[in-house]
C-alpha cells in the first residue's frame, strides 16, 4: 500500500489494508474531522437523517434538561457570547421580518425579492429546514 497524505492534517500516513481508499490518518483529531464532514454531508443530503438527529437531540435535551443550565453556569463566557449572538439574531429578525406597511390600509406589502420560508415551530417539522423563495408580486389587491 502506498503512502499518502491525510486530508485533515496533511501528514503522510500508510492506509490500512482493509481501507484502500482511506483519506484520513488515524489521529483522533483527523478521525473526528472525517466524521464531522460525513455527518455534515449526510445532514444536508438526507432529510430523514436530519430529522432523526433533530429529534434525538430534542429527546436528549428533555432527558438532560439540567445539562445546559449547569453548562452555562460553569461557562459564563459561553453564556455571555450566546446572549450577545441571540440579541443580534433577534434584532435581525425583527427588522428583516417586518414588511413595509401600506399606508392606505395598514397592511404589510412585500416587494419582489428573495425571502426565507420556514415552517412554524411546534408543527412537527425539523427546526432547521428553511426554503429560500423568490417572490414576484404580480398584482396587489386591496380587500
Ligand atoms: Zn491526519
Amino acid at each position: 500500500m502506498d503512502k499518502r497524505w491525510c486530508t485533515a492534517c496533511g501528514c503522510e500516513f500508510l492506509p490500512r489494508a482493509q481501507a484502500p481508499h482511506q483519506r484520513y490518518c488515524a489521529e483522533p483529531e483527523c478521525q473526528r474531522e472525517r466524521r464531522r464532514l460525513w455527518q455534515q454531508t449526510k445532514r444536508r443530503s438526507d432529510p430523514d437523517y436530519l430529522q432523526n438527529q433533530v429529534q434525538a437531540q430534542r429527546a436528549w435535551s428533555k432527558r438532560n434538561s439540567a445539562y445546559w443550565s449547569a453548562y452555562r453556569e460553569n461557562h459564563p463566557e459561553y453564556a455571555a457570547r450566546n446572549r450577545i449572538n441571540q440579541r443580534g439574531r433577534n434584532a435581525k429578525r425583527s427588522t428583516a421580518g417586518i414588511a413595509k406597511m401600506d399606508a392606505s390600509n395598514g397592511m404589510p406589502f412585500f416587494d419582489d425579492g428573495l425571502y426565507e420560508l420556514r415552517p412554524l415551530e411546534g408543527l412537527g417539522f425539523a427546526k432547521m429546514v428553511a426554503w429560500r423563495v423568490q417572490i414576484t408580486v404580480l398584482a396587489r389587491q386591496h380587500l
Side-chain angles (χ1 to χ4, degrees):
M1 199 66 63
D2 289 332
K3 278 182 185 172
R4 56 181 74 154
W5 290 267
C6 172
T7 304
C9 69
C11 293
E12 210 174 66
F13 72 100
L14 216 52
R16 292 161 51 97
Q18 302 92 325
H21 302 296
Q22 188 178 345
R23 294 188 302 126
Y24 294 82
C25 74
E27 286 301 313
E29 211 163 291
C30 298
Q31 289 298 310
R32 256 196 303 280
E33 175 68 1
R34 180 182 63 79
R35 280 193 297 271
R36 195 185 65 76
L37 287 176
W38 178 88
Q39 192 174 48
Q40 192 180 66
T41 307
K42 187 77 173 160
R43 278 167 161 261
R44 286 183 183 154
S45 63
D46 185 344
D48 289 339
Y49 180 83
L50 175 64
Q51 180 77 37
N52 283 340
Q53 290 268 303
V54 169
Q55 278 170 358
Q57 275 170 8
R58 281 188 191 151
W60 186 90
S61 289
K62 220 172 189 175
R63 285 195 310 274
N64 302 277
S65 55
Y67 174 85
W68 283 112
S69 52
Y71 185 89
R72 282 189 296 270
E73 208 161 289
N74 296 327
H75 300 81
E77 76 294 340
Y78 166 85
R81 185 161 37 93
N82 212 24
R83 260 194 304 279
I84 290 167
N85 288 343
Q86 186 60 52
R87 215 168 287 150
R89 284 192 294 270
N90 289 347
K92 203 170 161 193
R93 189 180 305 147
S94 66
T95 53
I98 295 173
K100 286 181 227 162
M101 290 295 174
D102 187 330
S104 65
N105 61 4
M107 294 287 286
F109 69 86
F110 297 92
D111 290 323
D112 289 355
L114 273 181
Y115 292 84
E116 209 168 67
L117 184 67
R118 27 174 104 245
L120 290 172
E121 282 178 40
L123 294 178
F125 293 106
K127 204 179 199 172
M128 297 165 77
V129 174
W131 295 271
R132 210 163 290 152
V133 294
Q134 170 78 45
I135 293 182
T136 306
V137 177
L138 299 176
R140 296 186 202 285
Q141 187 175 22
H142 294 276
L143 301 172

